[in-house]
Amino acid sequence: MDINYWNKICKNYQSEVLSVFDNDLHGLVKQRVGKIAQEEEIERAADIGCGVGRFTPLLAEQFEEVEACDLSSVGLKNAKRRCSQQDNINFYQVDLVSEAIPFAPVDFAFCVNVLIMPSLDQRLRAWRSVTNQVNRGGTLLLVVPSLESVQMEFYSNVERRLSDGEGCGEAVRNSIDEKARASDLRLGVHQLDGVRTKHYLKDEIAQMLEEHEFEIQEISKLMYSEDEHTHFSQWDWLATATRK
Ligand SMILES: C[S@@+](CC[C@H](N)C(=O)[O-])C[C@H]1O[C@@H](n2cnc3c(N)ncnc32)[C@H](O)[C@@H]1O
């Protein structure tokens, strides 16, 4: 998951990524952003890991000034094009793992499916960068892949195969669709479209936020549509939290 990887993904973002913007079944993210914009006095917001800028125009409509940053130059180029009608957004190229974020902390940080790098060391650095970018009393909205969703999808596949007449051993074997190291499985690193991606337990997100001195407001399921073949509905976790 280096810059080349993300540049390639951002070139064909629509076909490569299950976009939260387009697939958030109940529009939870947009609702939460609207609520935060209405209820809190926030001037500056940040779209951290903005990618191709799917959410950036929404933030620019709701807040006076928006800082948008990403590792990928291709992502940023697309994001700038998408936001060309809005003049209250500053764009920055930054690696959250190894560089300081080049703008002052904000009262609202928005970070959707960015803290997903498989390396624990890199991920912890990125967590520190993101959480330090929120002023005390400010709000963080975080979306991350759900480990419970991966596990439930597996059980659901086994069930489906059992009801199709497969035996238990066969149903389990046929439901395992990835070869993973034991350490990856213990750390919640599963393949997403063939790429090792960190997935989080709900309690793990709560613990991480508390360790970074945030008070949790909510951790909710962000549901996607049912898969037409498996009939399983995946979800991500959406967390909002206030910096103490
Ligand atoms: C799955 S995309 C999500 C993009 C956007 N937040 C959205 O919801 O459409 C993940 C984004 O995180 C960015 N990213 C990954 N690692 C990064 C890093 N170390 N520093 C900055 N951005 C990073 C990628 O370039 C990519 O644009």
Side-chain angles (χ1 to χ4, degrees):
M1 279 192 176
D2 59 4
I3 186 164
N4 296 324
Y5 168 77
W6 284 113
N7 275 339
K8 189 172 145 274
I9 296 287
C10 286
K11 250 180 210 148
N12 298 302
Y13 192 79
Q14 211 63 15
S15 56
E16 298 274 5
V17 168
L18 181 67
S19 150
V20 176
F21 183 87
D22 297 305
N23 295 285
D24 173 1
L25 195 59
H26 304 299
L28 216 59
V29 175
K30 288 172 204 160
Q31 258 178 42
R32 295 304 187 270
V33 170
K35 188 164 176 271
I36 290 163
Q38 258 187 0
E39 292 179 359
E40 297 173 30
E41 278 193 20
I42 294 169
E43 287 182 6
R44 286 174 60 251
D47 188 354
I48 303 183
C50 63
V52 297
R54 296 301 279 129
F55 282 106
T56 321
L58 172 79
L59 296 181
E61 280 165 20
Q62 306 268 4
F63 303 98
E64 275 180 33
E65 199 181 340
V66 174
E67 317 283 11
C69 64
D70 202 278
L71 175 66
S72 162
S73 52
V74 176
L76 285 166
K77 199 168 146 201
N78 287 338
K80 282 180 195 165
R81 195 177 314 127
R82 195 184 299 279
C83 301
S84 59
Q85 302 301 312
Q86 285 156 308
D87 59 6
N88 58 339
I89 310 169
N90 306 307
F91 291 95
Y92 309 84
Q93 186 171 11
V94 67
D95 183 349
L96 296 169
V97 172
S98 60
E99 295 171 322
I101 297 187
F103 52 85
V106 293
D107 289 328
F108 177 49
F110 178 91
C111 187
V112 172
N113 279 341
V114 178
L115 297 173
I116 59 176
M117 32 302 254
S119 150
L120 177 61
D121 175 54
Q122 293 186 4
R123 195 165 63 248
L124 290 177
R125 287 168 194 267
W127 262 89
R128 263 194 299 279
S129 296
V130 171
T131 51
N132 279 335
Q133 212 53 31
V134 184
N135 286 324
R136 296 205 181 276
T139 302
L140 171 65
L141 185 156
L142 197 66
V143 173
V144 288
S146 158
L147 185 52
E148 289 90 337
S149 174
V150 171
Q151 194 64 45
M152 288 309 297
E153 186 171 25
F154 177 75
Y155 292 142
S156 150
N157 283 339
V158 172
E159 286 286 324
R160 193 167 36 81
R161 288 177 179 281
L162 289 176
S163 57
D164 284 351
E166 290 184 15
C168 288
E170 195 186 5
V172 170
R173 267 193 311 279
N174 289 338
S175 298
I176 296 174
D177 61 357
E178 63 176 297
K179 282 202 176 85
R181 309 173 200 157
S183 59
D184 270 3
L185 294 179
R186 298 306 289 264
L187 285 164
V189 175
H190 282 269
Q191 311 252 338
L192 197 63
D193 301 323
V195 179
R196 290 170 65 236
T197 304
K198 169 65 181 165
H199 291 66
Y200 292 78
L201 293 171
K202 185 177 185 181
D203 283 356
E204 181 187 5
I205 303 164
Q207 185 173 311
M208 288 297 283
L209 287 169
E210 276 156 17
E211 277 172 15
H212 289 81
E213 299 185 345
F214 278 77
E215 187 182 321
I216 295 153
Q217 304 303 327
E218 70 162 325
I219 303 180
S220 304
K221 283 184 177 179
L222 188 159
M223 298 301 305
Y224 293 104
S225 304
E226 188 180 282
D227 182 283
E228 59 183 40
H229 300 297
T230 65
H231 301 295
F232 183 80
S233 303
Q234 298 176 341
W235 72 90
D236 282 348
W237 290 120
L238 178 149
T240 58
T242 309
R243 185 153 188 206
K244 292 179 194 162

